[in-house]
Amino acid sequence: MKLELQKLKNEFLENLEKATDSNVLRDLELKYLSRKGELSQLLRRVKELSLETRREVGEMANIVKTELQERFDHMKNLIDGKETQGKKIDITLPGIKKPLGHFHPTTLVERELEDLFASLGFMVCDGPELESDYYNFTALNFPKNHPAREMQDTFFIDKKNAQGEYDLIMRTQTSPVQIRAMKQFGAPLRAIVPGQCFRSEATDARHEHSFYQLEGLMIDKNISFADLKGVLLAVLRKLYGPETQLRMRPKHYPFVEPGSNGECTCFLCKGKGCRVCKYSGWLEILGCGSIHPNVLRAGGIDPTEYTGFAFGFGLDRLVMLKYNIDDVRLFHSGDLRFLEQF
Ligand code: DAH
C-alpha cells in the first residue's frame, strides 16, 4: 500500500505540474482529492491492514494527503491569479446595486419650508441646542419664577454658573435664536430657525422629549399684525393649496404682544371636518404674535423705531399631518419599516 501511495502521489504531482488552466485543475481535484477520489479510496482501505502496518501506513497517508492538498492549493492560486490578471472587464454587465439612503420625513418638510421662506427673503439661522436659561427664558420676557416656564420643563445641566445658578438647559423652543439673530444681524431682519427642542415629557403618541420647531421673525419699520397674517397665509397656501384659510385666536406667549395661535383649514377635508382635524375643520399648527418691546430691547433693537412679528411652527406636527403619521415616537425610533416609506 505504501507503494500505491507513492505512485499516486507521483502521478498527481506530475499532472499538477502540467496543469495550465482551471478546467484541468478541477478534473485533477475530482480524480484524486475529492471524497470519491483515488486518494480517499486508498485511505479507506487502510483499516483493512494488520494492526502493526496500519499505524505506519496511516501516518504516511495523512502526510501525503496534506502535501497534495497544499501543492494543489498553491497551483490553484497561481492559475487563478494568471487568469484574472489578463481578463477584460465586461462593462456591459449590470453592476451591484448599493442601497441608497434618503432624507428623514422631518428633513423633507423642513427643506420645503426653507425654500419657501428663502423665496420670501428670509435667511435660515441656526442656534445652540444646549442653551442658557437667559436666552431660552429671561431674554424672551419669561422673568424668573414666571408660571409660563412651568409648561416648558426641560433637562437642566448639572453645573452652576458664577452666581451659583443652574444656567445651562436643553432649549425648550427655537425662540432663543430670535435674540441671537437680533444681536448678530440687527434690524431690519427676516429669518427662520428650524431646529430640535427638548422637554421633560411623559411621552405618548403626541409628545416626545425631543421634537422640531420652525421659528420665524421679521423686524422692520412699520411691521404690523397684518404683515404677519399675510406672510403666514402665503406660506400655508403654498403648502396646502390656494383655498387654505387662516384662523387666529388670542393666546398668551410672554415674548409676543398681542399673541395668537394659528389654525389653518384642514388640508384633508378642506374645512368640512374629518378624523385628522377631529371634525373641527381646523388644524392648530403654530403660535405667533407681534414681538414684545422687552424682547426687541433684549436683542439690542429700539422698539420705538422698529416693530416686528414672530411665529413658531410645530414642525413634527406638520410632518405628522402631511404624511398622516399617528405617533410622534416613530420619528426617533430608527425603525426602517417606518423610514423606508418616504
Ligand atoms: N416657542 C413657542 C412654543 O414653543 C412657539 C411660539 C409662539 C413661537 C409664538 C413664536 C411665537 O415665535 O411668536 O410654544
Side-chain angles (χ1 to χ4, degrees):
M1 186 161 296
K2 277 192 194 168
L3 270 179
E4 274 179 82
L5 256 176
Q6 193 62 46
K7 197 169 144 245
L8 190 142
K9 177 178 161 182
N10 292 343
E11 202 180 295
F12 175 81
L13 290 179
E14 211 171 290
N15 284 326
L16 191 65
E17 286 304 310
K18 283 191 262 169
T20 47
D21 63 47
S22 46
N23 287 336
V24 180
L25 273 186
R26 203 170 311 122
D27 290 345
L28 271 179
E29 187 175 27
L30 215 66
K31 183 159 187 253
Y32 291 98
L33 302 179
S34 67
R35 235 159 24 98
K36 289 189 179 151
E38 290 185 14
L39 185 61
S40 304
Q41 282 177 24
L42 218 152
L43 289 176
R44 241 170 261 140
R45 278 172 35 219
V46 170
K47 60 176 181 289
E48 294 160 14
L49 297 173
S50 66
L51 217 56
E52 308 91 75
T53 45
R54 193 188 301 172
R55 189 190 229 189
E56 196 185 339
V57 176
E59 234 167 64
M60 177 178 167
N62 275 330
I63 293 171
V64 169
K65 189 178 169 200
T66 323
E67 186 188 345
L68 296 194
Q69 188 65 50
E70 277 173 11
R71 295 282 288 268
F72 175 82
D73 289 345
H74 180 67
M75 193 57 151
K76 186 165 171 4
N77 276 342
L78 281 181
I79 287 179
D80 281 355
K82 249 187 236 149
E83 283 183 356
T84 44
Q85 228 169 42
K87 225 180 211 165
K88 292 210 179 85
I89 296 169
D90 182 356
I91 54 164
T92 64
L93 279 176
I96 300 165
K97 265 206 181 135
K98 291 234 166 76
L100 257 192
H102 57 76
F103 288 122
H104 190 280
T106 307
T107 311
L108 293 175
V109 175
E110 182 188 317
R111 299 224 163 166
E112 194 181 343
L113 280 164
E114 281 174 6
D115 287 348
L116 201 53
F117 277 105
S119 73
L120 293 170
F122 283 70
M123 62 179 168
V124 182
C125 289
D126 208 359
E129 291 171 0
L130 180 60
E131 187 54 284
S132 71
D133 178 281
Y134 173 77
Y135 278 108
N136 195 83
F137 290 126
T138 314
L140 288 167
N141 206 28
F142 289 76
K144 285 234 164 351
N145 304 319
H146 192 286
R149 287 185 174 218
E150 192 104 339
M151 291 168 62
Q152 301 194 6
D153 189 19
T154 182
F155 305 98
F156 286 78
I157 304 305
D158 191 9
K159 191 164 181 258
K160 291 185 177 165
N161 64 11
Q163 285 77 46
E165 296 158 334
Y166 293 108
D167 186 40
L168 285 179
I169 64 172
M170 299 305 287
R171 71 175 175 197
T172 60
Q173 46 187 351
T174 40
S175 309
V177 190
Q178 285 189 29
I179 308 287
R180 291 181 177 277
M182 286 181 214
K183 281 189 167 177
Q184 190 173 351
F185 302 107
L189 180 63
R190 266 184 255 183
I192 58 161
V193 188
Q196 197 166 16
C197 305
F198 309 84
R199 289 188 196 176
S200 168
E201 297 278 6
T203 57
D204 61 29
R206 293 179 58 151
H207 299 90
E208 250 293 21
H209 50 69
S210 311
F211 55 96
Y212 281 80
Q213 290 189 339
L214 187 132
E215 190 83 14
L217 78 162
M218 181 167 178
I219 299 170
D220 210 331
K221 293 198 165 136
N222 302 319
I223 294 288
S224 74
F225 214 81
D227 298 305
L228 166 63
K229 192 164 181 192
V231 167
L232 289 178
L233 202 54
V235 169
L236 293 176
R237 288 193 169 159
K238 188 86 201 301
L239 273 184
Y240 297 132
E243 311 293 305
T244 312
Q245 297 292 325
L246 171 66
R247 179 163 86 170
M248 298 169 94
R249 294 195 289 184
K251 185 163 179 184
H252 173 72
Y253 297 99
F255 41 92
V256 280
E257 183 59 41
S260 164
N261 77 1
E263 296 173 322
C264 66
T265 33
C266 176
F267 58 86
L268 198 70
C269 64
K270 306 285 177 216
K272 285 193 208 73
C274 69
R275 200 179 67 86
V276 170
C277 59
K278 300 219 183 76
Y279 301 96
S280 71
W282 296 95
L283 294 168
E284 185 178 346
I285 48 169
L286 59 94
C288 59
S290 295
I291 303 179
H292 196 290
N294 285 352
V295 175
L296 287 172
R297 265 191 291 269
I301 291 171
D302 180 358
T304 60
E305 196 181 347
Y306 288 101
T307 49
F309 64 76
F311 55 86
F313 285 91
L315 195 53
D316 302 86
R317 182 137 170 78
L318 292 184
V319 182
M320 288 174 79
L321 292 170
K322 176 165 176 156
Y323 295 111
N324 216 345
I325 298 164
D326 59 7
D327 195 329
V328 68
R329 290 168 295 192
L330 285 165
F331 287 150
H332 294 284
S333 65
D335 188 337
L336 287 179
R337 288 169 304 180
F338 168 69
L339 293 171
E340 276 169 355
Q341 297 175 59
F342 301 97

